[in-house]
Amino acid sequence: MTNKEKIIQNYIEGYNQFDIDKMVADFDESIVFENIQNGETNLTLNGIQEFKTQAEQAKDYFSARKQTITSFIQDEIKAIVEIDYYAVLAIDFPNGLNAGQELRMKGKSIFQFLDDKIIKLTDMS
């Protein structure tokens, strides 16, 4: 397992365990996070503090969640990871999704690195 793979595995384990400190352990202070859904960017966060704040809020949305890596491709500066995503909602959402409802999706995360730190993370679904 390469160092990038270990870093990404640590992030995913932290995500699955609702452990934000573990998620951000290998983030650069100036991390840029983007979430893209259906080809449109619906969230951009700049800096580790913005990411942590959003991640703390998002913990309340789910009673369970799990990302599973299905594919991993990397080069010197980035890794592209395909993900199977499962979650159980903890709250009702304005779009009609209800607490207790299960979500299953496939997505992709692109991790960009500098000196073994994640400087950009893009989630796509």
Side-chain angles (χ1 to χ4, degrees), residues 3-116:
N3 202 38
K4 286 183 185 69
E5 286 175 291
K6 288 178 187 170
I7 289 169
I8 291 169
Q9 188 63 43
N10 186 67
Y11 169 82
I12 297 223
E13 286 173 7
Y15 180 89
N16 292 345
Q17 298 164 0
F18 296 85
D19 183 342
I20 292 162
D21 288 334
K22 187 171 185 173
M23 288 172 65
V24 303
D26 296 298
F27 278 11
D28 186 81
E29 285 292 321
S30 60
I31 181 82
V32 174
F33 173 82
E34 291 181 325
N35 190 70
I36 300 172
Q37 247 179 346
N38 300 320
E40 292 188 27
T41 302
N42 63 6
L43 178 66
T44 301
L45 303 171
N46 293 293
I48 201 166
Q49 194 54 53
E50 273 189 29
F51 183 92
K52 286 171 87 172
T53 299
Q54 172 63 25
E56 280 292 340
Q57 292 170 354
K59 283 182 8 179
D60 295 335
Y61 301 161
F62 307 101
S63 58
R65 65 185 187 187
K66 182 171 176 127
Q67 290 186 18
T68 304
I69 297 173
T70 59
S71 163
F72 189 99
I73 301 167
Q74 69 177 335
D75 61 26
E76 289 79 38
I77 61 167
K78 73 178 178 228
I80 300 170
V81 181
E82 291 186 5
I83 300 280
D84 280 346
Y85 180 78
Y86 168 81
V88 178
L89 299 179
I91 62 170
D92 293 337
F93 283 82
N95 65 0
L97 297 174
N98 296 311
Q101 191 170 345
E102 294 183 357
L103 298 178
R104 293 182 192 275
M105 297 184 290
K106 293 191 178 292
K108 182 180 350 181
S109 294
I110 301 171
F111 294 82
Q112 289 180 296
F113 289 86
L114 180 63
D115 300 327
D116 288 331

